[in-house]
Amino acid sequence: MISSHPSQARTVVVGGGTMGMDVAIVLARGGCQVTVVEPDAAKRHALGAHVRHNLALLGMAHRSERVHAVADLAEVTWSGVSLLIECIPEKLPLKQALFAQLAPLAAPDTLLCSNSSSFPISAIAQGLPTAERMLGLHFFMPAHLVPLVEVVLGPQSHVQEAEQLCDFMRGCGSVPVLVRKDKPGFLANRMQHALAREAFALIDEGVATPEDVDAAVRFGFGFRFLAAGPVMQRDHAGLEVHTAAAASMYPSLAVNAEPARVLQERVARGDLGMKTGQGFFSWTPETQQAERERYDRLLRQGLDLLAAELPPLNPHD
Protein backbone atom coordinates (compact mmCIF):
# COMPACT_ATOMS: atom_id res chain seq x y z
CA MET A 1 0.00 0.00 0.00
CA ILE A 2 1.44 3.34 -1.02
CA SER A 3 1.94 5.98 1.65
CA SER A 4 0.26 9.36 1.32
CA HIS A 5 3.59 10.92 2.40
CA PRO A 6 6.11 10.89 -0.48
CA SER A 7 8.98 11.65 1.89
CA GLN A 8 8.57 8.13 3.27
CA ALA A 9 8.55 6.44 -0.16
CA ARG A 10 11.12 4.59 -2.20
CA THR A 11 10.29 4.81 -5.91
CA VAL A 12 11.65 3.53 -9.22
CA VAL A 13 11.43 5.18 -12.65
CA VAL A 14 12.24 2.89 -15.59
CA GLY A 15 13.51 4.99 -18.49
CA GLY A 16 15.78 8.00 -18.08
CA GLY A 17 14.93 9.93 -21.24
CA THR A 18 13.30 13.36 -21.27
CA MET A 19 10.07 12.18 -19.64
CA GLY A 20 11.73 9.87 -17.11
CA MET A 21 14.14 12.58 -15.93
CA ASP A 22 11.28 15.02 -15.40
CA VAL A 23 9.15 12.43 -13.57
CA ALA A 24 12.13 11.84 -11.29
CA ILE A 25 12.11 15.59 -10.50
CA VAL A 26 8.38 15.42 -9.63
CA LEU A 27 9.00 12.54 -7.22
CA ALA A 28 12.09 14.13 -5.68
CA ARG A 29 10.36 17.46 -5.06
CA GLY A 30 7.85 15.50 -3.00
CA GLY A 31 10.72 14.04 -1.00
CA CYS A 32 10.85 10.52 -2.49
CA GLN A 33 13.95 8.41 -2.83
CA VAL A 34 14.15 7.80 -6.60
CA THR A 35 16.07 5.16 -8.54
CA VAL A 36 16.11 5.73 -12.29
CA VAL A 37 16.83 2.67 -14.44
CA GLU A 38 18.45 3.70 -17.71
CA PRO A 39 20.83 1.48 -19.73
CA ASP A 40 22.23 4.36 -21.82
CA ALA A 41 25.35 5.74 -20.10
CA ALA A 42 25.03 9.21 -21.63
CA LYS A 43 21.47 9.61 -20.34
CA ARG A 44 22.50 8.39 -16.89
CA HIS A 45 25.31 10.94 -16.87
CA ALA A 46 22.95 13.78 -17.88
CA LEU A 47 20.40 12.94 -15.21
CA GLY A 48 22.16 14.47 -12.20
CA ALA A 49 22.71 17.94 -13.64
CA HIS A 50 19.15 18.13 -15.03
CA VAL A 51 17.62 17.14 -11.70
CA ARG A 52 19.86 19.48 -9.67
CA HIS A 53 19.14 22.48 -11.91
CA ASN A 54 15.38 22.12 -11.80
CA LEU A 55 15.16 21.36 -8.09
CA ALA A 56 17.42 24.35 -7.39
CA LEU A 57 14.86 26.59 -9.11
CA LEU A 58 12.40 25.40 -6.44
CA GLY A 59 14.86 25.96 -3.61
CA MET A 60 15.20 22.19 -3.22
CA ALA A 61 18.68 21.51 -4.58
CA HIS A 62 19.38 19.27 -1.58
CA ARG A 63 16.72 16.82 -2.78
CA SER A 64 18.73 15.98 -5.87
CA GLU A 65 20.73 13.70 -3.56
CA ARG A 66 17.64 11.50 -3.36
CA VAL A 67 17.86 10.64 -7.08
CA HIS A 68 20.35 8.14 -8.45
CA ALA A 69 20.60 6.10 -11.62
CA VAL A 70 21.40 2.47 -12.36
CA ALA A 71 21.86 0.64 -15.64
CA ASP A 72 19.69 -2.42 -15.09
CA LEU A 73 16.64 -3.68 -13.20
CA ALA A 74 18.89 -6.19 -11.46
CA GLU A 75 20.67 -3.30 -9.68
CA VAL A 76 17.47 -2.17 -7.95
CA THR A 77 16.84 -3.16 -4.35
CA TRP A 78 13.18 -4.03 -4.75
CA SER A 79 12.26 -4.55 -1.12
CA GLY A 80 10.51 -1.45 0.20
CA VAL A 81 9.79 0.09 -3.23
CA SER A 82 6.22 1.39 -3.04
CA LEU A 83 5.84 2.84 -6.56
CA LEU A 84 7.28 2.06 -9.99
CA ILE A 85 6.66 4.30 -13.01
CA GLU A 86 7.49 3.08 -16.52
CA CYS A 87 8.70 5.81 -18.91
CA ILE A 88 10.13 3.79 -21.80
CA PRO A 89 9.37 4.43 -25.53
CA GLU A 90 5.73 4.35 -26.62
CA LYS A 91 5.75 0.85 -28.12
CA LEU A 92 3.24 -1.61 -26.71
CA PRO A 93 5.38 -4.79 -27.08
CA LEU A 94 8.23 -3.08 -25.19
CA LYS A 95 5.93 -2.07 -22.36
CA GLN A 96 4.33 -5.50 -22.15
CA ALA A 97 7.75 -7.17 -22.05
CA LEU A 98 8.96 -4.82 -19.31
CA PHE A 99 5.99 -5.45 -17.02
CA ALA A 100 6.29 -9.19 -17.60
CA GLN A 101 9.90 -8.88 -16.48
CA LEU A 102 8.85 -6.84 -13.45
CA ALA A 103 6.21 -9.32 -12.26
CA PRO A 104 8.66 -11.62 -10.41
CA LEU A 105 11.02 -8.77 -9.39
CA ALA A 106 8.79 -6.17 -7.76
CA ALA A 107 7.56 -6.77 -4.23
CA PRO A 108 3.90 -7.86 -3.91
CA ASP A 109 2.88 -4.47 -2.52
CA THR A 110 4.65 -2.33 -5.15
CA LEU A 111 2.24 -0.28 -7.23
CA LEU A 112 3.14 -0.68 -10.92
CA CYS A 113 2.33 2.26 -13.18
CA SER A 114 2.79 3.14 -16.85
CA ASN A 115 3.27 6.66 -18.19
CA SER A 116 1.88 5.59 -21.57
CA SER A 117 0.12 8.45 -23.33
CA SER A 118 -2.18 6.25 -25.38
CA PHE A 119 -2.07 2.51 -24.58
CA PRO A 120 -4.74 1.36 -22.13
CA ILE A 121 -3.27 -0.11 -18.97
CA SER A 122 -5.46 -3.16 -19.62
CA ALA A 123 -3.52 -3.82 -22.85
CA ILE A 124 -0.16 -3.50 -21.08
CA ALA A 125 -1.33 -5.70 -18.17
CA GLN A 126 -2.95 -8.39 -20.32
CA GLY A 127 -2.21 -11.86 -18.98
CA LEU A 128 -0.02 -10.63 -16.11
CA PRO A 129 -0.53 -11.70 -12.48
CA THR A 130 0.13 -8.08 -11.44
CA ALA A 131 -2.87 -6.59 -13.31
CA GLU A 132 -4.75 -5.71 -10.12
CA ARG A 133 -1.95 -3.40 -8.93
CA MET A 134 -1.25 -1.81 -12.30
CA LEU A 135 -2.45 1.71 -13.10
CA GLY A 136 -1.86 4.34 -15.75
CA LEU A 137 0.02 7.35 -14.39
CA HIS A 138 0.20 9.74 -17.32
CA PHE A 139 2.28 12.91 -17.05
CA PHE A 140 2.45 15.72 -19.61
CA MET A 141 5.67 17.13 -21.05
CA PRO A 142 7.48 18.73 -19.39
CA ALA A 143 6.31 16.68 -16.42
CA HIS A 144 7.92 18.90 -13.77
CA LEU A 145 6.24 22.04 -15.18
CA VAL A 146 2.77 20.80 -16.20
CA PRO A 147 0.90 20.08 -12.95
CA LEU A 148 -1.64 17.58 -14.33
CA VAL A 149 -1.19 13.83 -13.95
CA GLU A 150 -3.83 11.28 -14.94
CA VAL A 151 -4.39 8.25 -12.70
CA VAL A 152 -6.03 5.68 -14.97
CA LEU A 153 -7.98 2.67 -13.74
CA GLY A 154 -7.88 -0.58 -15.66
CA PRO A 155 -10.75 -3.08 -15.40
CA GLN A 156 -8.85 -5.06 -12.74
CA SER A 157 -7.30 -2.10 -10.91
CA HIS A 158 -8.29 -1.39 -7.32
CA VAL A 159 -10.07 1.95 -6.90
CA GLN A 160 -8.70 2.36 -3.37
CA GLU A 161 -5.11 2.14 -4.62
CA ALA A 162 -5.86 4.66 -7.37
CA GLU A 163 -7.29 7.10 -4.82
CA GLN A 164 -4.23 6.63 -2.60
CA LEU A 165 -2.01 7.30 -5.61
CA CYS A 166 -3.91 10.55 -6.21
CA ASP A 167 -3.14 11.61 -2.62
CA PHE A 168 0.50 10.63 -3.12
CA MET A 169 0.82 12.74 -6.29
CA ARG A 170 -0.70 15.74 -4.51
CA GLY A 171 2.12 15.34 -2.00
CA CYS A 172 4.53 15.68 -4.93
CA GLY A 173 2.89 18.97 -5.97
CA SER A 174 0.94 17.52 -8.90
CA VAL A 175 -2.76 17.89 -9.69
CA PRO A 176 -4.17 14.37 -10.23
CA VAL A 177 -7.38 13.48 -12.03
CA LEU A 178 -8.90 10.02 -11.68
CA VAL A 179 -9.82 8.47 -15.04
CA ARG A 180 -12.36 5.79 -14.20
CA LYS A 181 -12.56 4.07 -17.60
CA ASP A 182 -9.57 2.76 -19.55
CA LYS A 183 -10.24 4.50 -22.89
CA PRO A 184 -7.51 5.17 -25.48
CA GLY A 185 -6.08 8.63 -24.83
CA PHE A 186 -7.62 8.69 -21.33
CA LEU A 187 -9.10 12.13 -20.47
CA ALA A 188 -6.87 15.07 -21.40
CA ASN A 189 -5.47 13.68 -24.65
CA ARG A 190 -8.94 12.83 -25.91
CA MET A 191 -9.99 16.46 -25.45
CA GLN A 192 -6.69 17.73 -26.85
CA HIS A 193 -7.05 15.60 -29.98
CA ALA A 194 -10.66 16.68 -30.45
CA LEU A 195 -9.40 20.27 -30.58
CA ALA A 196 -6.48 19.32 -32.84
CA ARG A 197 -8.76 17.51 -35.28
CA GLU A 198 -10.81 20.67 -35.78
CA ALA A 199 -7.72 22.89 -35.88
CA PHE A 200 -5.97 20.90 -38.61
CA ALA A 201 -9.24 20.46 -40.54
CA LEU A 202 -9.56 24.25 -40.64
CA ILE A 203 -6.00 24.48 -41.99
CA ASP A 204 -6.82 21.79 -44.58
CA GLU A 205 -9.85 23.82 -45.70
CA GLY A 206 -7.86 27.04 -45.99
CA VAL A 207 -9.95 28.74 -43.31
CA ALA A 208 -6.87 29.86 -41.36
CA THR A 209 -3.08 29.59 -41.33
CA PRO A 210 -1.21 27.57 -38.69
CA GLU A 211 -0.08 30.86 -37.12
CA ASP A 212 -3.66 32.16 -36.83
CA VAL A 213 -4.92 28.84 -35.43
CA ASP A 214 -2.28 29.02 -32.70
CA ALA A 215 -3.08 32.66 -31.96
CA ALA A 216 -6.83 31.94 -31.72
CA VAL A 217 -6.18 29.30 -29.06
CA ARG A 218 -3.41 31.01 -27.08
CA PHE A 219 -4.91 34.50 -26.95
CA GLY A 220 -8.60 33.56 -27.09
CA PHE A 221 -10.37 30.72 -25.35
CA GLY A 222 -7.09 28.99 -24.41
CA PHE A 223 -6.06 32.04 -22.38
CA ARG A 224 -9.24 31.67 -20.31
CA PHE A 225 -8.49 28.00 -19.58
CA LEU A 226 -5.87 29.12 -17.08
CA ALA A 227 -8.73 30.52 -15.00
CA ALA A 228 -11.51 28.01 -15.71
CA GLY A 229 -11.96 24.77 -17.64
CA PRO A 230 -14.63 24.23 -20.30
CA VAL A 231 -17.31 23.14 -17.80
CA MET A 232 -16.83 26.07 -15.41
CA GLN A 233 -16.68 28.50 -18.33
CA ARG A 234 -20.13 27.36 -19.47
CA ASP A 235 -21.50 28.28 -16.06
CA HIS A 236 -19.85 31.70 -16.40
CA ALA A 237 -21.31 32.30 -19.85
CA GLY A 238 -24.69 30.60 -19.43
CA LEU A 239 -25.60 27.07 -20.46
CA GLU A 240 -28.28 28.26 -22.86
CA VAL A 241 -25.69 30.29 -24.79
CA HIS A 242 -23.44 27.28 -25.16
CA THR A 243 -26.32 24.98 -26.08
CA ALA A 244 -27.52 27.33 -28.83
CA ALA A 245 -23.98 27.71 -30.23
CA ALA A 246 -23.47 23.94 -30.10
CA ALA A 247 -26.68 23.31 -32.03
CA SER A 248 -25.48 25.70 -34.71
CA MET A 249 -21.86 24.48 -35.03
CA TYR A 250 -21.85 20.76 -34.21
CA PRO A 251 -23.24 19.62 -37.58
CA SER A 252 -20.28 21.21 -39.39
CA LEU A 253 -17.46 20.27 -36.99
CA ALA A 254 -14.79 17.86 -38.25
CA VAL A 255 -15.53 14.18 -37.72
CA ASN A 256 -12.58 12.85 -39.72
CA ALA A 257 -11.59 9.30 -38.87
CA GLU A 258 -7.96 9.87 -39.96
CA PRO A 259 -5.36 12.62 -39.41
CA ALA A 260 -5.63 15.79 -41.48
CA ARG A 261 -3.98 16.02 -44.90
CA VAL A 262 -1.55 18.72 -43.71
CA LEU A 263 -0.27 16.32 -41.04
CA GLN A 264 -0.03 13.24 -43.23
CA GLU A 265 1.82 15.10 -45.98
CA ARG A 266 4.45 16.44 -43.61
CA VAL A 267 4.99 13.09 -41.93
CA ALA A 268 5.34 11.42 -45.36
CA ARG A 269 8.07 13.96 -46.26
CA GLY A 270 9.85 13.43 -42.95
CA ASP A 271 9.06 16.97 -41.78
CA LEU A 272 8.42 16.08 -38.13
CA GLY A 273 8.99 19.39 -36.37
CA MET A 274 11.96 20.44 -34.27
CA LYS A 275 13.57 17.00 -34.36
CA THR A 276 14.06 17.26 -38.14
CA GLY A 277 14.37 21.04 -38.47
CA GLN A 278 11.10 21.40 -40.37
CA GLY A 279 7.43 20.95 -39.48
CA PHE A 280 4.81 23.66 -39.86
CA PHE A 281 7.70 25.99 -39.06
CA SER A 282 11.43 25.92 -39.89
CA TRP A 283 13.91 25.28 -37.08
CA THR A 284 17.63 25.82 -36.60
CA PRO A 285 19.47 24.78 -33.42
CA GLU A 286 19.41 28.44 -32.36
CA THR A 287 15.68 28.96 -32.92
CA GLN A 288 14.92 25.65 -31.22
CA GLN A 289 16.85 26.72 -28.13
CA ALA A 290 15.17 30.12 -28.08
CA GLU A 291 11.71 28.57 -28.45
CA ARG A 292 12.28 26.01 -25.71
CA GLU A 293 13.49 28.75 -23.37
CA ARG A 294 10.45 30.91 -24.18
CA TYR A 295 8.11 27.94 -23.71
CA ASP A 296 9.61 26.92 -20.35
CA ARG A 297 9.63 30.53 -19.13
CA LEU A 298 5.92 30.97 -19.84
CA LEU A 299 5.07 27.63 -18.23
CA ARG A 300 6.94 28.66 -15.08
CA GLN A 301 5.12 32.00 -15.07
CA GLY A 302 1.84 30.12 -15.42
CA LEU A 303 2.78 28.02 -12.39
CA ASP A 304 3.39 31.22 -10.44
CA LEU A 305 -0.08 32.46 -11.37
CA LEU A 306 -1.66 29.19 -10.25
CA ALA A 307 0.50 28.75 -7.15
CA ALA A 308 -2.34 29.37 -4.68
CA GLU A 309 -4.41 26.60 -6.33
CA LEU A 310 -1.66 23.95 -6.53
CA PRO A 311 -0.97 21.35 -3.83
CA PRO A 312 1.59 22.75 -1.36
CA LEU A 313 5.08 21.28 -1.11
CA ASN A 314 7.18 20.84 2.04
CA PRO A 315 10.75 21.78 1.11
CA HIS A 316 12.17 20.87 4.52
CA ASP A 317 11.72 17.07 4.77
Side-chain angles (χ1 to χ4, degrees):
M1 182 176 295
I2 193 167
S3 168
S4 60
H5 302 289
S7 61
Q8 301 172 8
R10 288 186 57 233
T11 61
V12 172
V13 176
V14 181
T18 301
M19 181 60 82
M21 287 197 295
D22 291 348
V23 169
I25 293 167
V26 172
L27 296 172
R29 78 185 180 200
C32 300
Q33 297 288 336
V34 189
T35 300
V36 179
V37 181
E38 174 50 60
D40 184 274
K43 291 180 180 178
R44 289 199 308 276
H45 180 73
L47 176 69
H50 182 73
V51 170
R52 280 193 300 276
H53 171 72
N54 283 282
L55 288 175
L57 293 175
L58 297 173
M60 298 181 179
H62 60 288
R63 287 194 174 168
S64 64
E65 300 173 359
R66 305 188 185 197
V67 181
H68 71 282
V70 299
D72 191 83
L73 294 174
E75 298 180 57
V76 177
T77 302
W78 290 101
S79 176
V81 172
S82 56
L83 174 65
L84 175 140
I85 305 172
E86 166 270 307
C87 294
I88 66 174
E90 194 72 355
K91 297 181 180 179
L92 182 58
L94 290 181
K95 295 179 185 292
Q96 291 172 326
L98 172 64
F99 281 97
Q101 189 178 359
L102 289 168
L105 291 176
D109 57 351
T110 301
L111 199 57
L112 304 175
C113 298
S114 172
N115 180 54
S116 173
S117 60
S118 57
F119 297 122
I121 193 65
S122 55
I124 298 171
Q126 188 172 10
L128 294 179
T130 53
E132 290 185 351
R133 55 189 173 108
M134 290 177 65
L135 293 163
L137 188 62
H138 179 226
F139 296 83
F140 294 80
M141 292 181 65
H144 63 300
L145 296 181
V146 180
L148 184 70
V149 62
E150 295 176 311
V151 177
V152 186
L153 286 163
Q156 294 176 266
S157 305
H158 290 162
V159 176
Q160 182 182 9
E161 288 184 335
E163 291 172 343
Q164 289 169 345
L165 183 57
C166 287
D167 288 340
F168 181 91
M169 294 314 304
R170 289 187 192 97
C172 293
S174 296
V175 176
V177 291
L178 184 58
V179 184
R180 298 175 183 272
K181 293 189 177 181
D182 195 18
K183 297 174 72 70
F186 318 131
L187 175 59
N189 268 344
R190 291 183 71 88
M191 292 188 288
Q192 182 174 239
H193 275 268
L195 166 61
R197 178 166 63 180
E198 183 64 28
F200 290 117
L202 291 169
I203 295 171
D204 264 354
E205 294 176 32
V207 173
T209 65
E211 292 85 352
D212 283 344
V213 165
D214 280 356
V217 175
R218 290 188 61 222
F219 301 107
F221 64 90
F223 179 77
R224 299 187 310 205
F225 282 158
L226 193 64
V231 180
M232 179 66 78
Q233 284 186 15
R234 299 289 78 78
D235 264 15
H236 275 273
L239 301 186
E240 81 288 0
V241 175
H242 172 75
T243 301
S248 172
M249 282 186 285
Y250 280 14
S252 64
L253 289 179
V255 291
N256 308 333
E258 60 181 26
R261 185 184 67 253
V262 289
L263 287 171
Q264 296 193 58
E265 289 175 349
R266 282 167 174 77
V267 171
R269 290 197 302 265
D271 294 340
L272 307 180
M274 287 188 182
K275 65 177 69 176
T276 61
Q278 182 66 48
F280 284 96
F281 310 100
S282 296
W283 300 100
T284 65
E286 294 74 21
T287 59
Q288 285 185 46
Q289 180 66 22
E291 170 56 20
R292 289 191 170 110
E293 290 176 357
R294 182 199 69 85
Y295 184 76
D296 280 8
R297 182 180 67 253
L298 285 175
L299 290 179
R300 292 183 190 280
Q301 291 170 347
L303 283 175
D304 290 341
L305 291 173
L306 290 172
E309 299 184 37
L310 297 175
L313 287 166
N314 182 356
H316 305 299
D317 286 340

